[in-house]
Amino acid sequence: QVQLQESGGGSVQAGGSLRLSCAASGYTRSRYCMGWFRQVPGKEREWVASIDTVVGTTYYADSVKGRFTVSQDAANNTLDLQMNGLKPEDTAVYHCAAGRPFIDCRRDPTDIVRDWGQGTQVTVSS
């Protein structure tokens, strides 16, 4: 079991930036893929970005490519999401996610998540 706790959400104006952080605890070494999803009330959870924790390869949804950057700090067991150029449509609850043990990021992200964080609200006003 891996425990995930997000921080860093808040409210910004369009064009602004926020940095989310996810603190991971438990046996994380076997989790080869970690990432971020977001959810708006009444809609399905949407994949945002993933990182292969072994080789560092990153993956992004088309909607955030070029604006968001996912990174990991292996020493501190944290996963970050730097969000620049924020748009009102980025408003959502952002969840940190850890994939199933020993599964890398090449599979469909929605199929491999094992653990979720509680989420942190991001609100972007126009």
Side-chain angles (χ1 to χ4, degrees), residues 2-120:
V2 169
Q3 292 77 43
L4 305 169
Q5 180 62 59
E6 304 91 342
S7 61
S11 298
V12 294
Q13 290 192 329
S17 298
L18 280 174
R19 187 176 185 88
L20 306 183
S21 188
C22 172
S25 60
Y27 190 66
T28 60
R29 287 192 176 187
S30 65
R31 306 304 180 96
Y32 294 169
C33 186
M34 295 189 67
W36 293 89
F37 287 70
R38 64 188 181 187
Q39 189 167 24
V40 175
K43 293 190 176 181
E44 288 190 2
R45 198 166 287 187
E46 173 192 22
W47 169 71
V48 174
S50 300
I51 185 167
D52 185 310
T53 62
V54 177
V55 297
T57 305
T58 55
Y59 305 83
Y60 298 95
D62 287 343
S63 58
V64 306
K65 201 173 293 183
R67 299 187 297 123
F68 290 12
T69 302
V70 61
S71 61
Q72 62 173 340
D73 182 341
N76 293 311
N77 238 1
T78 60
L79 181 75
D80 293 336
L81 185 68
Q82 177 67 41
M83 304 185 295
N84 299 327
L86 283 162
K87 304 175 181 179
E89 52 263 43
D90 294 319
T91 295
V93 176
Y94 282 71
H95 296 269
C96 179
R100 298 200 305 268
F102 311 112
I103 303 296
D104 63 31
C105 290
R106 288 174 292 177
R107 297 192 186 186
D108 186 334
T110 58
D111 290 341
I112 68 170
V113 175
R114 167 70 67 83
D115 299 287
W116 296 98
Q118 297 265 352
T120 185

